[in-house]
Amino acid sequence: MLEVDLRPRTISRVENGKIIPPTNLELIVTDHCNISCQQCNHASPVMRKWNADLQQTERVLGVLSNVYHCDRLRLLGGEPLLHPDLTNLIHIGRASGIGNTIHLITNGVLLDRLPDEAWRALDVLEISVYQNAGLSKDLIKAARRKGDKLGTEVQIAHYPKFRHTFSLHKAQTPKLVEDIWTACKMANVWGCHSLRGDHMFRCPQSIYVPPLTGGHLTDEGFAITSAPDLRDRLIAFLNGAGPLRSCANCVGSCGKQFNQTGLPRKSWKDDLQTPMEDIVDYALLAQSMTNMQVIDDCRMPERRKRGLGPAIACKFRQLL
C-alpha cells in the first residue's frame, strides 16, 4: 500500500465505542456463481467453489460485533443461494447484532431454494436482474407477493450495463493508480467493507485481485482476532492511506461501460488482457475526483408504484 493520503473520502468513525462504517458490511457467502458475467467484479466465474463456514462466521461476527456496527449487513457472493445452509447463516448474521438490517443480494435464478424461514429472517431481499440470467417477470412478481406475505421487503435492481473492473496488466504509472483510488466510490464513498472468512477487506475487489494476479485471497485482508486493541487496529486499517496494491489492477468505479452480458468461464480471464489504460473511462475519472456524489449509473432500481407494506414490516421488525 502506498502511504499517500488522498482526499476526499468518507471514512469510518467511532461512536459509542464501536466503528461505524459509511454504509454496509458485505458478508461474502460464496465465491462461486451459477451464471458467468463478463467483468464480474467479484471474479466469480473463475473462483473455486467456496462456502462460508457457519462456525467460523458465527465466531468472527461475534468478535467483530464488539467493535463494529453497520447500518446494513449484506449477504452476497458469488451467488449466496448456492450456499447449502444459507438459512442458518442468515440467522447467525441477525443474532450477531452487527447490523441494523439484514439484506440478501441474489440473481434470483435459484430463488425457489430459499425456504420461508429464511425469508422471514431477512429485512430485505434484493434481486439483481442480469440479461444472461433470464429471469421472467412472473418470477419477479411472485417474489414481490411472497415478500408481502412474509414481511420481507423485496427490491429489484436491473443492471443493463456493467463497467470494466480488472486488468491482468498493472497500470504503467503511479499517477493513474492514485487517480483511480481518489475517484473510487467503492473505497471512498460507499465504504464497501467486506468480510470473507476471518478476514476484513476495504473493498471486495481487494479480495479477488490478488488471486487473479498470482497472489492469495487474504493478501490485502485484516485478520479478525479477539484482542484488546482490535478496534483501534481495525479502524486504522479501514481508514488507512491508499492506494491499495490491488488498485494497480483495478479501475474501481471508473471503468468503461458496456452492455451487460455473459461470457464463457473458459475465456473469462482472456477478457482481462486489455491494459489498464484502455479500460478507464477518463471523463468519469476526472469528474469523480472532484464530485463524489453517491451514484451508480449501472444499477437501475425498479420502483413499486404503490404499497408500503414490506417497508413498514421491516421497520416494525427492528422494534421487536
Side-chain angles (χ1 to χ4, degrees), residues 25 27 57-65 92-93 96 98 195:
L25 173 63
L27 176 63
T57 301
E58 185 173 28
R59 175 179 57 81
V60 172
L61 285 178
V63 171
L64 188 59
S65 65
I92 287 169
S96 73
I98 200 168
L195 182 67

Side-chain angles (χ1 to χ4, degrees), residues 167-183:
S167 171
L168 296 180
H169 304 283
K170 287 185 177 181
Q172 294 298 301
T173 63
K175 177 63 165 59
L176 178 58
V177 178
E178 292 174 4
D179 288 350
I180 287 169
W181 161 264
T182 303

Side-chain angles (χ1 to χ4, degrees), residues 14-51:
V14 174
E15 188 175 294
N16 296 323
K18 294 189 178 183
I19 298 169
I20 308 297
T23 50
N24 314 318
L25 173 63
E26 299 187 347
L27 176 63
I28 306 298
V29 171
T30 62
D31 281 340
H32 54 298
C33 190
N34 56 328
I35 61 174
S36 178
C37 298
Q38 181 183 3
Q39 287 286 329
C40 168
N41 63 11
H42 284 209
S44 296
V46 293
M47 288 295 108
R48 293 182 178 179
K49 181 179 178 179
W50 177 85
N51 296 302

Side-chain angles (χ1 to χ4, degrees), residues 163-224:
R163 288 191 179 276
H164 286 270
T165 302
F166 302 126
S167 171
L168 296 180
H169 304 283
K170 287 185 177 181
Q172 294 298 301
T173 63
K175 177 63 165 59
L176 178 58
V177 178
E178 292 174 4
D179 288 350
I180 287 169
W181 161 264
T182 303
C184 182
K185 291 182 172 64
M186 286 177 280
N188 296 319
V189 177
W190 300 328
C192 295
H193 298 162
S194 299
L195 182 67
R196 183 191 182 278
D198 59 357
H199 279 70
M200 189 96 152
F201 300 82
R202 293 169 70 176
C203 69
Q205 287 68 40
S206 65
I207 304 174
Y208 299 109
V209 165
L212 286 175
T213 56
H216 191 271
L217 281 157
T218 60
D219 283 354
E220 294 215 78
F222 178 97
I224 303 298

Side-chain angles (χ1 to χ4, degrees), residues 134-316:
L135 293 187
S136 67
K137 291 182 179 180
D138 287 343
L139 185 148
I140 293 173
K141 289 179 181 178
R144 286 200 183 278
R145 288 194 298 269
K146 190 161 190 176
D148 290 344
K149 177 182 177 182
L150 299 178
T152 304
E153 181 179 356
V154 174
Q155 298 177 356
I156 310 297
H158 295 262
Y159 289 84
K161 303 282 186 180
F162 267 21
R163 288 191 179 276
H164 286 270
T165 302
F166 302 126
S167 171
L168 296 180
H169 304 283
K170 287 185 177 181
Q172 294 298 301
T173 63
K175 177 63 165 59
L176 178 58
V177 178
E178 292 174 4
D179 288 350
I180 287 169
W181 161 264
T182 303
C184 182
K185 291 182 172 64
M186 286 177 280
N188 296 319
V189 177
W190 300 328
C192 295
H193 298 162
S194 299
L195 182 67
R196 183 191 182 278
D198 59 357
H199 279 70
M200 189 96 152
F201 300 82
R202 293 169 70 176
C203 69
Q205 287 68 40
S206 65
I207 304 174
Y208 299 109
V209 165
L212 286 175
T213 56
H216 191 271
L217 281 157
T218 60
D219 283 354
E220 294 215 78
F222 178 97
I224 303 298
T225 56
S226 182
D229 62 346
L230 173 60
R231 187 196 69 186
D232 294 340
R233 290 189 297 110
L234 179 57
I235 197 168
F237 167 76
L238 296 173
N239 288 346
L244 308 179
R245 291 191 302 273
S246 293
C247 297
N249 293 91
C250 175
V251 294
S253 57
C254 293
K256 288 182 178 177
Q257 199 174 68
F258 60 93
N259 291 330
Q260 191 278 326
T261 188
L263 199 65
R265 297 177 194 275
K266 290 184 178 180
S267 58
W268 192 87
K269 286 186 72 172
D270 295 340
D271 186 56
L272 309 186
Q273 293 293 346
T274 307
M276 280 276 288
E277 290 74 10
D278 293 340
I279 63 173
V280 176
D281 182 334
Y282 288 97
L284 179 60
L285 179 68
Q287 179 188 24
S288 297
M289 288 177 66
T290 57
N291 181 0
M292 299 295 279
Q293 292 181 356
V294 183
I295 59 171
D296 182 354
D297 58 354
C298 291
R299 183 179 184 274
M300 299 182 63
E302 181 180 299
R303 306 297 183 187
R304 295 193 79 170
K305 294 183 179 180
R306 55 178 179 165
L308 296 176
I312 293 173
C314 175
K315 294 295 184 183
F316 179 73

